[in-house]
Amino acid sequence: GKSIGNGFPLAMCVTTPEVAEAFADSSLHFNTFGGNAIACSAGLATLKAIEEDNLMENCRVVGDKFLRGFNTLREKYEFVGDCRGLGLFLAMEWWRTRRQNKALPLYHFSALHERIRDHGIFIGKGGLYGNCFRIQPPMCVSEADAEFVIATLDKVFGEYRDGVLDVESFNPNK
């Protein structure tokens, strides 16, 4: 994963001692650059920065701020479904309305996603029905950044609710 090396290609595996020992006693090899000194240095520097910059606590504090803001938006907009997450691993579902429990049409979702990107906010898409935003900012994200994202989402959601956002230009059947 990119995260463990702060962008440098590096992977990590967490397992039980029994599983690790089984691999140690076999000829199985499942990584490409295992033991690479540069990769190990990148990983160690990343772990050092996480500890020295208190980034785990920052994840908790800023993640809680994001989730509170997302739930406030959920109360305001009928099309915002479940908002969930832990730390900075967050998701927000989209529905036609929460009462209908039907996913927002994908082209509506694409219009919202693109409009949010117009504001310089890059978030992922996913979910079983393709109707979830995946919000996974870097560990150094600040409370001010979270406030900006929440305010921007509120603006874009208002544009969508009020019919100002041009969703039809994203309609593949048009």
Side-chain angles (χ1 to χ4, degrees):
K2 294 175 287 206
S3 330
I4 193 66
N6 196 29
F8 191 89
L10 178 65
M12 177 180 84
C13 178
V14 177
T15 187
T16 64
E18 295 81 16
V19 171
E21 193 170 309
F23 276 101
D25 293 339
S26 76
S27 62
L28 294 175
H29 190 272
F30 59 90
N31 61 49
T32 308
F33 300 109
N36 174 326
I38 295 172
C40 292
S41 293
L44 186 58
T46 301
L47 292 172
K48 186 176 176 183
I50 289 170
E51 185 176 334
E52 289 177 358
D53 297 342
N54 202 22
L55 293 179
M56 293 297 290
E57 177 66 9
N58 187 62
C59 289
R60 185 190 64 74
V61 169
V62 179
D64 288 349
K65 185 173 196 68
F66 269 117
L67 202 51
R68 282 190 310 275
F70 293 165
N71 279 308
T72 298
L73 294 173
R74 182 180 189 272
E75 292 171 13
K76 185 172 180 179
Y77 299 102
E78 181 65 23
F79 50 82
V80 177
D82 187 39
C83 300
R84 58 188 176 272
L86 183 62
L88 293 176
F89 197 81
L90 304 155
M92 178 185 287
E93 288 183 331
W94 292 78
W95 300 100
R96 292 174 195 255
T97 70
R98 285 190 298 274
R99 289 184 306 272
Q100 289 179 331
N101 202 31
K102 290 184 179 178
L104 198 66
L106 289 179
Y107 72 94
H108 285 233
F109 188 79
S110 294
L112 284 158
H113 190 256
E114 190 68 26
R115 182 70 178 126
I116 291 164
R117 194 168 72 169
D118 289 345
H119 289 279
I121 298 171
F122 297 93
I123 53 180
K125 297 188 286 185
L128 186 59
Y129 304 106
N131 67 324
C132 289
F133 281 152
R134 292 179 299 140
I135 301 98
Q136 300 161 326
M139 294 176 79
C140 60
V141 69
S142 68
E143 289 186 74
D145 295 329
E147 290 166 5
F148 170 75
V149 169
I150 293 162
T152 302
L153 293 177
D154 189 20
K155 178 183 186 317
V156 172
F157 296 174
E159 291 173 357
Y160 176 74
R161 178 200 57 209
D162 299 339
V164 175
L165 187 60
D166 177 20
V167 296
E168 286 306 313
S169 64
F170 290 84
N171 187 342
N173 299 318
K174 186 175 176 189

